[in-house]
Amino acid sequence: MSVVVSDFGEMRDGRKLSLYTMSNRKGMQVSVTNIGAAVVKILVPDKNGVLEDVVLGFDDGGDYVNNDCFFGVVIGPNANRTAKAAFCLDGEVHHLDVNDGVNNLHSHKEKGWHKRFWEAVCGEDRVTFSLEDEDGSLGFPGNKRAEVTYILDEENGLTLHYHGISDKRTIMNLTNHTYFNLEGSGSIEDHELWLAASRYTPADGGSIPTGEIASVEGTPMDFTKSKRVGRDIRETFEQLQFAGGYDHNWVIDGWNGELRLIARLKAPVSGRQMEVHSTLPGVQFYAGNFITKQKGKAGVSYGPRWGLCLETQYFPDSANHPEFPSCVFGQGEEYDSVTVYKFDAKIVEQF
């Protein structure tokens, strides 16, 4: 196992970006970079052993400065949406950037942690990124320090270990926004998905949870049995119409904070499969409904549903829903979570 470091462009202020590439004995490669602690490339074999990149992104680190679709980046300090761009914590109201209608999305589109420079330290099989953020930055209390460590193992597993501390109680809900396409290109609608979630959190027209935790049974939201992503995506179901397709939080069955299998994804042509394991209570499945048309790696043109996200997380707008699992940390209570994306290329009929 080794980590190779190469140049990868620069930030707007001239700081140099590096590309850190981990490789294992099976030929799998994972490349990550400083800006947004982003996953840039994941090369995995198909059923014939052919390596191909299975994530969306850019060939130059400078392009991640724009990155309006959040390709590959770590979102923080708070992922997903916050209603009316505000939350009350310990009797004090904190105001966030209004950037998604009247709401807040991903903390701040230009100044969030996905646009920040993360310092990197390499190990034999891992890269650890870290950053610090001051009290009140982006509207969040506390002097904060966050780390994310990417670890590649010999069984084609990529572990993301997140850790965060704050000297004040604050909201901390980190996720990774990588878009996966296990065929390497084209629409993801033929990918087959299974989720260990018999419930989800319905949302309003602004994608803010209503507070209800609803059963998926009898609805297009049911992935408790593996099915094609595109099978029901155009159904006249209010939740799908609100979000232009799948862009919702699913509630992990039996969540207790332990690392467990929460999702499987399969590409029928390449035979590639990906398991997702997580310690977190929710997963945002986003089918890439609004990927803007743009040039990605190797000059490939991306568009809607060319990739999908499985963002492990606390529920959207948890700060305003005391009935949801709490993402309040700080003053000795440290944030810590693990997510593992494990790849294979076995040919099976169904999960």
Side-chain angles (χ1 to χ4, degrees), residues 188-209:
I188 50 79
E189 289 195 27
D190 283 337
H191 281 51
E192 297 171 14
L193 177 65
W194 168 84
L195 297 174
S198 57
R199 299 175 299 162
Y200 76 109
T201 52
D204 64 18
S207 292
I208 298 296

Side-chain angles (χ1 to χ4, degrees), residues 25-254:
R25 293 187 182 92
K26 292 185 176 180
M28 180 175 167
Q29 294 183 11
V30 177
S31 298
V32 292
T33 191
N34 308 91
I35 184 168
V39 174
V40 174
K41 184 183 296 185
I42 299 180
L43 292 175
V44 293
D46 67 5
K47 62 188 178 185
N48 298 313
V50 178
L51 289 171
E52 196 164 12
D53 191 359
V54 297
V55 301
L56 306 190
F58 304 107
D59 289 322
D60 186 278
D63 290 330
Y64 286 87
V65 173
N66 297 317
N67 194 13
D68 62 338
C69 290
F70 306 95
F71 293 137
V73 291
V74 170
I75 305 293
N78 183 48
N80 221 308
R81 292 171 173 85
T82 302
K84 298 181 180 178
F87 63 91
C88 183
L89 180 61
D90 298 332
E92 182 178 352
V93 177
H94 300 271
H95 295 279
L96 310 179
D97 188 49
V98 180
N99 62 12
D100 189 53
V102 299
N103 304 313
N104 173 265
L105 174 64
H106 294 333
S107 302
H108 198 293
K109 289 185 179 179
E110 294 301 322
K111 300 177 182 178
W113 291 358
H114 66 287
K115 292 288 184 77
R116 293 275 300 275
F117 184 94
W118 295 61
E119 299 290 345
V121 176
C122 297
E124 182 179 348
D125 61 349
R126 67 194 60 198
V127 182
T128 297
F129 292 101
S130 63
L131 63 72
E132 296 184 354
D133 208 12
E134 64 185 11
D135 184 22
S137 175
L138 309 182
F140 295 91
N143 294 297
K144 297 167 286 294
R145 177 179 173 84
E147 293 183 349
V148 58
T149 300
Y150 294 101
I151 307 167
L152 177 62
D153 64 37
E154 293 294 350
E155 300 304 317
N156 286 358
L158 176 63
T159 296
L160 286 66
H161 183 189
Y162 302 88
H163 190 76
I165 59 175
S166 172
D167 62 1
K168 292 182 180 179
R169 278 164 50 85
T170 191
I171 301 299
M172 199 170 290
N173 182 17
L174 307 182
T175 195
N176 181 279
H177 210 287
T178 292
Y179 290 78
F180 296 96
N181 186 321
L182 300 187
E183 301 289 15
S185 62
S187 172
I188 50 79
E189 289 195 27
D190 283 337
H191 281 51
E192 297 171 14
L193 177 65
W194 168 84
L195 297 174
S198 57
R199 299 175 299 162
Y200 76 109
T201 52
D204 64 18
S207 292
I208 298 296
T210 63
E212 179 187 8
I213 295 180
S215 172
V216 301
E217 186 176 1
T219 78
M221 315 303 282
D222 191 350
F223 286 90
T224 57
K225 293 183 179 179
S226 181
K227 70 176 182 181
R228 289 178 52 251
V229 169
R231 193 186 81 177
D232 302 325
I233 204 167
R234 294 174 181 81
E235 289 289 317
T236 55
F237 183 69
E238 185 178 55
Q239 289 295 307
L240 295 178
Q241 293 176 322
F242 279 161
Y246 296 112
D247 188 11
H248 298 77
N249 170 69
W250 272 258
V251 177
I252 302 305
D253 290 338

